[in-house]
Amino acid sequence: MEPVMQNIRFLRYVDAVARCGSIRKAAEQLNVVSSAVNRRILDIEAEIGTDLFERRARGVRLTAAGELFVAYARKQMAELERTLSEIEDLQSVRRGEVRIAAIEGMAAELLPRAICAFQKTHPKIRFTTFICGREEVYQHLKEFRADIGLVFNPPADPEIRTLMDVEQRLCAFVSPDHPLTRLDKVRLSDCVGYPLALPDRSLGGRALLDEFLARRSLRLEPALESDSFELMRNFAVKSGGVCFQIQIGMPPSHLPGGMRALPLVDRGLSRGRLVLGMEHSRALPVATARFVEHLKGELADA
């Protein structure tokens, strides 16, 4: 019987080729010669009795059998990572990696704060983050590229297990000296007279705005529409305008152009859910499970 780690290495070859769509590119990524990768894939195909990849003039594409095999391979690799993490924990090594996929709104304040606080007591735990759109967050989880994900107002998905969700109110983000900061309560109608930066329809906050506006005569005419929170925030500061985001995504006040988050009080404007989730079928590595408990505390205090 072949060694376990060698078998896993060959599964990594298949996974890399599936991601790259090319044996040559996968070999470069794995830092091995392409002939070795191709030979191992041919060995696996011969063993299971069917092709995993359709060879084309410009790369390869997974067959139906390949799709099934890659899903199996990714689960095996994720399970091995979890087991190795548990073994390290038993040995009190306290090493490991936490892989997080999150929407951009978590990158300014929540994630840096949570990671820094966690590493004060777990200095040998390292982090890899993927900042992306809400649909991509769930794709990273399903393909085992990330262990946990943070996403705002995601659609229901049976493949994702919710570890925690936190209700979040939509806020108007403005510069500290903006005229809106002098109001006791801020409504969407108060924002209309200023340059508006609206999230595009790939972002969860836009769905809340559209749902509310569909029942009102109020219309928002954006000067800027974007899928980048950083761009929208910087535009609002430089133009004297307004952008919209959940309060937990507010950047630190000490940064240049620090902003104020003004909760919108319009009756009928729904609140959204910030969801911490993971792929439903897997178990988390020890390091990730510990970080999840820490992150839950950060979210509860937000």
Side-chain angles (χ1 to χ4, degrees):
M1 185 174 66
E2 290 184 285
V4 171
M5 298 306 291
Q6 182 169 296
N7 286 333
I8 291 295
R9 177 158 53 90
F10 298 158
L11 294 181
R12 293 191 194 281
Y13 287 3
V14 177
D15 178 51
V17 173
R19 293 189 193 281
C20 295
S22 162
I23 290 175
R24 180 184 58 80
K25 290 180 180 177
E28 290 174 356
Q29 186 181 91
L30 294 164
N31 198 28
V32 296
V33 296
S34 58
S35 59
V37 175
N38 187 52
R39 184 169 60 251
R40 291 306 177 188
I41 290 175
L42 290 173
D43 289 343
I44 294 171
E45 290 177 327
E47 186 174 343
I48 64 178
T50 188
D51 290 342
L52 300 179
F53 294 96
E54 176 186 341
R55 272 72 171 179
R56 299 177 152 200
R58 294 185 178 180
V60 297
R61 186 174 70 176
L62 283 169
T63 63
E67 294 278 2
L68 292 173
F69 190 85
V70 166
Y72 159 79
R74 289 169 179 168
K75 286 186 178 182
Q76 291 296 308
M77 291 186 293
E79 182 63 20
L80 177 64
E81 289 176 9
R82 183 186 68 81
T83 301
L84 292 176
S85 179
E86 289 180 348
I87 291 171
E88 288 178 340
D89 190 62
L90 288 173
Q91 296 172 334
S92 299
V93 176
R94 309 302 185 200
R95 296 183 184 275
E97 179 184 16
V98 180
R99 300 175 302 174
I100 309 168
I103 56 173
E104 187 190 355
M106 301 300 98
E109 171 64 8
L110 177 69
L111 279 179
R113 184 180 73 239
I115 291 171
C116 287
F118 186 77
Q119 286 183 326
K120 286 180 179 178
T121 53
H122 302 81
K124 294 183 180 180
I125 303 298
R126 70 185 185 94
F127 288 78
T128 298
T129 61
F130 305 92
I131 303 301
C132 47
R134 60 176 181 165
E135 292 182 4
E136 293 173 288
V137 169
Y138 275 7
Q139 199 62 33
H140 275 68
L141 297 179
K142 293 175 186 179
E143 295 181 0
F144 297 94
R145 289 197 293 268
D147 304 309
I148 55 174
L150 276 167
V151 62
F152 182 62
N153 255 22
D157 191 320
E159 294 183 62
I160 302 299
R161 182 194 311 172
T162 296
L163 301 172
M164 184 178 187
D165 65 71
V166 182
E167 188 177 81
Q168 285 285 296
R169 176 182 288 180
L170 201 62
C171 297
F173 276 48
V174 297
S175 59
D177 58 351
H178 196 281
L180 288 179
T181 61
R182 297 194 287 269
L183 299 180
D184 293 331
K185 296 180 179 180
V186 175
R187 297 175 172 80
L188 277 172
S189 57
D190 298 319
C191 305
V192 170
Y194 304 96
L196 300 180
L198 295 188
D200 76 4
R201 287 182 168 81
S202 69
L203 302 178
R206 179 60 179 266
L208 296 181
L209 288 171
D210 287 348
E211 178 188 324
F212 175 79
L213 294 170
R215 304 190 301 269
R216 302 291 190 280
S217 58
L218 179 66
R219 292 290 177 268
L220 300 182
E221 297 294 336
L224 170 70
E225 187 172 336
S226 176
D227 63 353
S228 168
F229 288 117
E230 183 177 4
L231 175 59
M232 289 186 283
R233 287 193 295 254
N234 285 330
F235 173 82
V237 169
K238 295 180 185 302
S239 68
V242 184
C243 65
F244 303 95
Q245 195 179 341
I246 53 177
Q247 187 164 7
I248 201 170
M250 186 171 70
S253 57
H254 66 269
L255 292 181
M259 305 188 79
R260 290 277 304 277
L262 309 175
L264 295 168
V265 299
D266 298 76
R267 180 174 296 181
L269 180 60
S270 300
R271 299 189 183 191
R273 295 163 50 247
L274 180 63
V275 174
L276 173 64
M278 61 177 284
E279 199 275 336
H280 193 272
S281 67
R282 68 175 302 190
L284 291 176
V286 171
T288 305
R290 289 189 177 182
F291 180 70
V292 163
E293 293 310 307
H294 172 78
L295 188 56
K296 285 181 178 179
E298 295 276 354
L299 290 171
D301 294 338

